Amino acid sequence: EPEVTQTPSHQVTQMGQEVILRCVPISNHLYFYWYRQILGQKVEFLVSFYNNEISEKSEIFDDQFSVERPDGSNFTLKIRSTKLEDSAMYFCASFGAEAFFGQGTRLTVV
Amino acid sequence: AQKVTQAQTEISVVEKEDVTLDCVYETRDTTYYLFWYKQPPSGELVFLIRRNSFDEQNEISGRYSWNFQKSTSSFNFTITASQVVDSAVYFCALSEALMDSNYQLIWGAGTKLIIKP
């Protein structure tokens, strides 16, 4: 079965630091997404990416966030200056006939 | 506006019992998709099913079954003969059909299912 791979599985960073979360989506899918889930809460949409540009983004996805797919393989989410409230599980997703999520990256901002 | 409601915050049953997780949605779209995901304690999101709004046929996959009722805007999920490994948080989600394979999921709050041995 195809799978979406995310690295790292857990990242601890100091407030104000930049982090890059990495994802390898399913190669023949066209749309890629980032979602986040604050501990104990519902999953929230951040951004969708199609044809090397952002397709949709939520209010959460402000100027401190950016996404790119630099090499046609990895799909990255960058948070420029992390805040305590950015602590969450971040999920990458790849959608085709089914909608697959990666195993998530747990980001802890201290 | 789109909305997904999972009114059951937590359900606890004894192993081998059947259990139904409720999902009620709101949308003005005529074409939309409904999803169920399982989130085990390890945290990943496991895809269970996607159903489009034109297909009201109920689906069965092993011990899992889904009942889609457009008339009541519900997409309920039943686990038959539950097992301890079914313990997880289950999320229902809704997406309008933006473009082919482009889904912007709106998530319910999740139902925590506890299966006791």
Side-chain angles (χ1 to χ4, degrees):
Chain A
E1 182 175 273
E3 64 176 10
V4 176
T5 305
Q6 287 185 245
T7 54
S9 57
H10 192 186
Q11 171 102 37
V12 181
T13 188
Q14 287 197 327
M15 193 169 54
Q17 294 296 306
E18 175 183 285
V19 294
I20 298 176
L21 309 183
R22 291 182 167 79
C23 169
V24 180
I26 296 167
S27 58
N28 60 349
H29 285 180
L30 299 177
Y31 284 93
F32 312 114
Y33 304 78
W34 284 99
Y35 288 81
R36 80 170 186 191
Q37 184 185 29
I38 295 172
L39 186 64
Q41 298 185 23
K42 66 168 65 176
V43 182
E44 301 170 292
F45 168 77
L46 290 178
V47 65
S48 62
F49 193 82
Y50 171 74
N51 200 25
N52 284 325
E53 60 183 30
I54 290 174
S55 174
E56 304 277 342
K57 61 182 181 179
S58 71
E59 293 176 353
I60 302 168
F61 194 87
D62 61 23
D63 292 343
Q64 70 161 342
F65 290 94
S66 63
V67 290
E68 61 177 7
R69 196 167 183 231
D71 57 7
S73 175
N74 292 296
F75 177 48
T76 62
L77 174 69
K78 182 191 291 186
I79 309 175
R80 286 191 185 82
S81 179
T82 50
K83 303 188 284 261
L84 293 177
E85 53 264 38
D86 294 328
S87 295
M89 183 78 100
Y90 288 81
F91 292 100
C92 173
S94 175
F95 289 2
E98 296 179 350
F100 291 102
F101 282 78
Q103 78 279 20
T105 293
R106 185 172 297 283
L107 176 65
T108 304
V109 182
V110 297
Chain B
Q2 296 182 316
K3 184 180 177 182
V4 176
T5 302
Q6 293 180 256
Q8 304 149 309
T9 306
E10 183 174 305
I11 300 175
S12 182
V13 300
V14 176
E15 200 173 18
K16 296 183 184 174
E17 286 185 16
D18 299 347
V19 58
T20 295
L21 310 181
D22 298 333
C23 173
V24 174
Y25 62 92
E26 295 175 28
T27 181
R28 292 182 183 160
D29 298 320
T30 54
T31 303
Y32 52 89
Y33 291 86
L34 294 163
F35 300 77
W36 274 95
Y37 283 86
K38 173 182 180 181
Q39 187 175 43
S42 50
E44 71 269 28
L45 289 167
V46 179
F47 172 83
L48 295 179
I49 190 170
R50 181 193 73 165
R51 175 54 53 88
N52 76 55
S53 52
F54 296 109
D55 182 3
E56 285 195 73
Q57 207 168 13
N58 290 334
E59 177 143 349
I60 298 175
S61 176
R63 296 185 296 108
Y64 296 170
S65 61
W66 291 269
N67 183 3
F68 178 27
Q69 297 278 347
K70 271 179 101 167
S71 59
T72 56
S73 297
S74 65
F75 186 44
N76 296 339
F77 172 37
T78 297
I79 301 175
T80 304
S82 60
Q83 300 175 1
V84 173
V85 293
D86 295 327
S87 296
V89 179
Y90 290 85
F91 290 96
C92 179
L94 163 73
S95 175
E96 60 177 318
L98 296 171
M99 284 178 64
D100 186 39
S101 298
N102 183 11
Y103 308 108
Q104 191 180 120
L105 299 182
I106 306 299
W107 297 78
T111 296
K112 183 175 183 179
L113 178 62
I114 300 169
I115 310 296
K116 298 177 183 176

